[in-house]
């Protein structure tokens, strides 16, 4: 009998310790700061992140900042007031978070820059796709479809639309694309009738579809109104490609096929690819980006990370990169970079195969995101 009582007591103690431990874990707060609900992908990222971290037992607070850097500072201040163990931030402006990053550092909060780097040393880790490669894939796609390598005396007309300057990724995308296309501009094979080839000239404030559409409409009116043929428009992402495709539909006089690039596989763009209004998108599987982020977050909250070993442990392609990204000059940021790939009309089934898209009977596409 004594033995039984002792056993029951021991069991109660073990259960007590176990439930105490999980209650403690569950109380760890993770603050997530997303840039905006206006750009399609961040709603999906937000939904995937909340689900993943809640399922892992964290208490999650999430903010969206309407693409306004001041609002994001205020939002992060509110998150910091909750005493988070971890902040996960996709910055509206990678250079505008100094005050809140100082505060996070003072409080000893672990900061992970999600998808976009923050230029402050409070950032412990950066999880993203290989942003330069995204641009390279877009450039190589145009190089292939126009046959630039074997163009001989042929010339092609092309325009560019890049992203939002305060987004640290935007320059990487553009430079990656230009690393492929610029030599053809220099050689005279690719002409840019608008003359706009510098990042600042082709950038799109807030990555906005309307801004991209207005600029494209102006260019088409000013430089192609006389029947000049447009062959390709390199857009850094899908929100801008949507605007450019709309402007081409409204304002381009010719009837040749125009190759338009993008990035993200947003629903409307996948639809446009199906209908031939956009030619490709660079796909970055968000569920994978979130899975890697969760694993990095968990490891970081437990102590020092062996980054290479962690990267090797994923069954997702991830490079552990300690060279490419700096938070401040000379201060390298350990980065986990996933590998993007190209989607065209010919391989759209790959999206469905991820399990994250549904291809409906009426040939519309929807991305499946957690509620
Ligand atoms: C992301 C892209 C996205 C863009 C606009 C970038 O930082 O990497 O995937 O298209 O922001 O939302």
């Amino acid at each position: 009998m004594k033995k039984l009582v002792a056993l029951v007591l021991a069991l109660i103690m073990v259960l007590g310790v176990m439930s105490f431990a999980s209650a403690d874990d569950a109380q760890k707060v993770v603050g997530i700061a997303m840039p905006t609900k206006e750009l399609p992908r961040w709603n999906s990222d937000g939904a995937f992140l909340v689900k993943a971290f809640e399922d892992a037992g964290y208490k999650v607070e999430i903010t969206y900042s309407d693409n306004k850097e001041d609002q994001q500072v205020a939002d992060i201040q509110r998150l910091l007031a909750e005493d988070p163990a971890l902040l996960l931030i996709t910055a509206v402006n990678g250079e505008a978070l100094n005050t809140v990053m100082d505060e996070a550092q003072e409080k000893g909060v672990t900061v992970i820059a999600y998808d976009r780097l923050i230029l402050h040393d409070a950032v412990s880790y950066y999880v993203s796709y290989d942003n330069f490669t995204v641009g390279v894939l877009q450039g190589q796609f145009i190089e292939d479809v126009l046959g630039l390598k074997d163009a001989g005396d042929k010339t092609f007309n092309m325009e560019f639309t890049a992203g939002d300057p305060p987004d640290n990724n935007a320059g990487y995308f553009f430079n990656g694309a230009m690393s492929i296309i610029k030599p053809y501009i220099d050689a005279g094979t690719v002409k840019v009738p608008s003359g706009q080839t510098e990042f600042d000239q082709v950038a799109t404030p807030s990555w906005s579809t309307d801004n991209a559409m207005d600029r494209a409409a102006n260019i088409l009116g000013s430089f192609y109104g006389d029947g000049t043929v447009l062959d390709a428009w390199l857009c850094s992402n899908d929100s801008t490609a949507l605007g450019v495709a709309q402007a081409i539909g409204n304002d381009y006089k010719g009837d040749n096929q125009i190759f338009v690039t993008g990035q993200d596989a947003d629903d409307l763009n996948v639809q446009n690819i199906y209908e031939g209004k956009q030619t490709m998108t660079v796909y970055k599987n968000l569920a994978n980006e979130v899975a890697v982020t969760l694993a990095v977050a968990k490891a970081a909250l437990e102590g020092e990370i062996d980054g290479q070993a962690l990267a090797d442990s994923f069954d997702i392609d991830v490079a552990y990169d300690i060279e490419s990204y700096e938070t401040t000059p000379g201060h390298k940021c350990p980065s986990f970079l996933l590998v993007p790939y190209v989607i065209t009309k010919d391989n759209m089934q790959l999206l469905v195969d991820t399990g994250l898209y549904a291809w409906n009977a009426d040939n519309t596409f929807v991305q499946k995101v957690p509620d």
Side-chain angles (χ1 to χ4, degrees):
M1 183 65 189
K2 262 192 186 164
K3 264 193 188 162
L4 189 68
V5 171
L7 198 69
V8 170
L9 278 177
L11 201 66
I12 289 173
M13 273 174 67
V14 168
L15 286 176
V17 169
M18 273 172 61
S19 63
F20 179 73
S22 60
D24 192 41
D25 274 356
Q27 277 167 4
K28 274 193 183 152
V29 175
V30 171
I32 301 177
M34 289 283 107
T36 177
K37 281 185 173 261
E38 293 309 307
L39 294 164
R41 75 159 283 190
W42 306 112
N43 296 297
S44 312
D45 288 87
F48 279 119
L49 283 166
V50 169
K51 176 153 180 23
F53 279 84
E54 280 184 352
D55 286 355
Y58 298 98
K59 179 166 182 271
V60 180
E61 302 285 340
I62 185 163
T63 59
Y64 289 88
S65 306
D66 202 17
N67 247 331
K68 299 192 176 91
E69 56 190 56
D70 291 350
Q71 187 174 326
Q72 193 167 48
V73 169
D75 285 340
I76 295 172
Q77 250 145 10
R78 275 196 295 119
L79 293 174
L80 279 167
E82 304 276 326
D83 284 327
L86 179 89
L87 277 179
L88 212 73
I89 299 171
T90 304
V92 172
N93 180 343
E95 295 182 81
L97 297 179
N98 285 343
T99 34
V100 274
M101 287 298 95
D102 287 346
E103 206 176 316
Q105 218 164 16
E106 276 159 30
K107 284 186 142 189
V109 179
T110 302
V111 178
I112 295 182
Y114 179 79
D115 201 80
R116 299 176 177 173
L117 191 60
I118 303 162
L119 303 184
H120 191 288
D121 294 345
V123 176
S124 304
Y125 298 99
Y126 177 41
V127 181
S128 192
Y129 272 83
D130 183 333
N131 298 303
F132 191 82
T133 296
V134 169
V136 168
L137 291 174
Q138 295 166 336
Q140 283 172 340
F141 181 85
I142 297 293
E143 181 183 48
D144 286 350
V145 288
L146 295 182
L148 296 180
K149 276 186 186 150
D150 306 309
D153 291 342
K154 265 199 251 159
T155 63
F156 300 92
N157 291 330
M158 177 171 175
E159 299 292 339
F160 297 86
T161 292
D164 190 22
D167 174 352
N168 192 61
N169 290 348
Y172 282 87
F173 300 145
F174 183 69
N175 292 336
M178 272 301 187
S179 72
I180 304 295
I181 302 296
K182 176 93 173 17
Y184 296 109
I185 298 177
D186 293 345
T189 309
V190 168
K191 313 254 180 231
V192 184
S194 71
Q196 299 177 15
T197 54
E198 298 299 323
F199 177 77
D200 289 344
Q201 297 174 304
V202 305
T204 309
S206 306
W207 290 100
S208 133
T209 298
D210 286 348
N211 290 341
M213 183 172 75
D214 291 348
R215 177 171 164 269
N218 279 334
I219 288 178
L220 290 170
S222 308
F223 303 98
Y224 296 84
D226 60 358
T228 299
V229 171
L230 171 67
D231 296 295
W233 202 305
L234 193 141
C235 300
S236 284
N237 87 331
D238 278 356
S239 60
T240 55
L242 207 58
V244 167
Q246 230 160 314
I248 290 173
N250 295 340
D251 300 308
Y252 182 61
K253 303 250 183 306
D255 55 10
N256 59 302
Q257 184 186 4
I258 299 164
F259 300 104
V260 178
T261 67
Q263 162 186 201
D264 289 334
D266 290 340
D267 293 357
L268 293 175
N269 298 78
V270 178
Q271 201 60 43
N272 271 358
I273 292 174
Y274 183 75
E275 291 168 14
K277 297 177 190 159
Q278 181 174 328
T279 333
M280 66 89 89
T281 191
V282 177
Y283 182 52
K284 307 192 296 188
N285 183 315
L286 302 186
N288 287 349
E289 195 170 354
V290 167
V292 171
T293 303
L294 177 64
V296 173
K298 274 179 158 174
L301 290 176
E302 276 160 23
E304 281 288 297
I305 291 189
D306 179 344
Q308 190 57 58
L310 186 61
D312 292 344
S313 73
F314 296 117
D315 55 7
I316 302 165
D317 253 358
V318 185
Y320 182 59
D321 180 330
I322 47 170
E323 285 304 321
S324 303
Y325 289 92
E326 290 186 340
T327 44
T328 52
H331 192 278
K332 310 274 186 199
C333 185
S335 306
F336 294 84
L337 303 178
L338 291 86
V339 180
Y341 56 90
V342 170
I343 292 291
T344 64
K345 191 172 177 178
D346 293 339
N347 69 356
M348 284 167 95
Q349 182 60 32
L350 289 182
L351 292 179
V352 181
D353 293 346
T354 61
L356 299 173
Y357 288 77
W359 191 339
N360 300 321
D362 62 352
N363 285 324
T364 54
F365 287 81
V366 271
Q367 222 177 131
K368 298 192 240 166
V369 285
D371 296 333

